[in-house]
């Protein structure tokens, strides 16, 4: 049996991204969540330990450490640099170890909101019309904005966890859009601008690989109790204070629509070459049109995240999910 190492850079080791609030919140998982996963694997009979994150991987590469007969489970968002989620798969490749999750190129593609939308659109699925704005091509791309309908959503292109998003990011006029765009460009290099799609906020959590799906569950998202979004956004503070909540999709949607969402997620994962785990956020209009919003290459695996809600509401054992997740990773590594 392989030795299992969990890779993680802990929330407690990074500053909070809510500087004006008395909260510790950033992209990274809490240590207690990772310790819980380690303990579950040990109880299941695996030899498992927490390895560390980016610094520990770099040290292992520099000291030429070897890890025969091992699997590294990636639960890290990397450090603080742009494209930080690419760091773990790159370092694992350099170290020559087997690891969970997608390869560096696919992770980079998923990290980039605009380019991941292009990939999804290429596969024939709906995406909201929009453009990529950078500090270097601001004047060129502003000419395209007349083709977009208001309200317009504006957000950092390379950030997760709603970093840089406030209620002001939904703009109803050109003046408001330019004001918010200039403010965001002072902080972020790339900005995604797209038409705001009104409808149900939907998230789809997928674990597994083609022919070996461990979990494929759809959840609806509430924001302060509201399920139909017309100008709502989920902010960084909402994530930190858990102002959003989930509901089972069958309370609102019919079975055919739920199945359509699940199949769409499977097809997008296969088209993009995703391995082992992902979460896709969609907007479903009242007319039944499903729009891809963004994809997460390292969705949070914990008993207090979406996965924990799914386990509770579907009467699924969290331990069983973790066990089957590992088996799926192992099966992919062995059989390709």
């Amino acid at each position: 049996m392989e030795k299992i190492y969990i890779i993680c850079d802990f929330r407690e080791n990074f500053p909070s991204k809510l500087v004006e609030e008395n909260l510790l919140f950033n992209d990274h998982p809490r240590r207690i969540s990772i310790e819980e996963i380690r303990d579950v694997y040990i109880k299941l009979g695996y030899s498992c330990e927490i390895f560390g994150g980016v610094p520990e991987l770099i040290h292992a590469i520099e000291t030429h450490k070897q890890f025969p007969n091992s699997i590294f489970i990636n639960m890290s968002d990397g450090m603080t640099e742009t494209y930080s989620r690419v760091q773990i798969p790159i370092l694992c490749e350099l170290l020559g170890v087997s690891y969970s999750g997608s390869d560096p190129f696919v992770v980079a593609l998923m990290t980039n909101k605009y380019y991941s939308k292009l990939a999804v659109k290429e596969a024939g699925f709906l995406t909201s019309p929009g453009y990529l704005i950078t500090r270097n091509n601001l004047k060129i791309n502003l000419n395209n904005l007349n083709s977009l309908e208001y309200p317009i959503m504006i957000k950092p292109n390379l950030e997760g966890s709603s970093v840089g998003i406030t209620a002001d990011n939904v703009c109803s006029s050109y003046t408001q859009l330019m004001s918010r765009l200039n403010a965001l460009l002072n902080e972020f290099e790339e900005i995604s601008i797209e038409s705001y799609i009104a409808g149900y906020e939907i998230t789809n959590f997928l674990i597994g690989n083609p022919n070996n799906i461990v979990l494929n569950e759809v959840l609806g998202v509430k924001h302060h109790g509201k399920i139909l979004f017309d100008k709502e956004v989920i902010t960084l503070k909402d994530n930190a204070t858990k102002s959003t909540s989930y509901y089972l999709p069958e309370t609102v949607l019919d079975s055919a629509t739920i199945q359509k969402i699940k199949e769409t997620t499977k097809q997008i994962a296969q088209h993009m070459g995703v391995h082992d785990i992902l979460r896709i956020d969609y907007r479903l209009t009242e007319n039944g049109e499903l729009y891809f919003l963004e994809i997460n290459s390292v969705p949070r695996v914990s008993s207090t995240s979406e996965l924990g809600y799914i386990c509770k509401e579907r009467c699924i054992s969290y331990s069983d999910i973790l066990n089957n997740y590992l088996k799926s990773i192992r099966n992919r590594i062995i059989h390709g």
Side-chain angles (χ1 to χ4, degrees), residues 30 33 36-37 301-309 311 318:
R30 297 180 303 159
S33 297
E36 179 186 24
I37 294 169
V301 175
S302 78
S303 60
T304 58
S305 68
E306 302 102 320
L307 184 57
Y309 179 87
C311 288
Y318 182 59

Side-chain angles (χ1 to χ4, degrees), residues 131 147 161 197 211:
Y131 298 97
S147 65
S161 298
I197 305 297
N211 303 318

Side-chain angles (χ1 to χ4, degrees), residues 7-18 23-34 37 52-56 74-88 159-163 236 239-240 242 296 298-302 304-305:
I7 300 174
C8 188
D9 295 278
F10 298 110
R11 177 176 299 179
E12 292 85 351
N13 295 336
F14 295 87
S16 176
K17 291 190 175 181
L18 283 166
L23 292 168
L24 174 59
F25 185 80
N26 51 53
D27 291 341
H28 307 275
R30 297 180 303 159
R31 177 180 289 273
I32 191 172
S33 297
I34 302 304
I37 294 169
V54 169
E56 289 76 15
N74 177 22
M75 295 188 175
S76 173
D77 286 289
M79 301 299 280
T80 59
E81 299 82 3
T82 302
Y83 285 105
S84 61
R85 287 178 178 171
V86 181
Q87 293 171 334
I88 298 299
E159 298 289 340
S161 298
S162 298
V163 171
L236 183 65
N239 286 327
K242 298 188 183 299
N296 188 332
V298 195
R300 191 68 62 235
V301 175
S302 78
T304 58
S305 68

Side-chain angles (χ1 to χ4, degrees), residues 179-237:
S179 175
R180 188 60 182 148
L181 175 61
N182 289 326
L184 287 174
L185 283 173
N186 285 329
E187 188 175 357
F188 305 101
E189 179 66 28
E190 297 184 4
I191 303 298
S192 174
I193 295 181
E194 60 192 34
S195 295
Y196 184 96
I197 305 297
Y200 300 100
E201 180 82 3
I202 302 294
T203 191
N204 193 174
F205 206 114
L206 180 70
I207 295 176
N209 295 288
N211 303 318
N212 186 17
I213 300 298
V214 172
L215 183 83
N216 187 0
E217 286 287 343
V218 175
L219 293 176
V221 180
K222 294 181 182 180
H223 185 244
H224 299 296
K226 189 173 182 178
I227 63 172
L228 269 173
F229 288 30
D230 48 17
K231 289 187 179 180
E232 283 71 28
V233 295
I234 297 173
T235 68
L236 183 65
K237 185 176 179 180

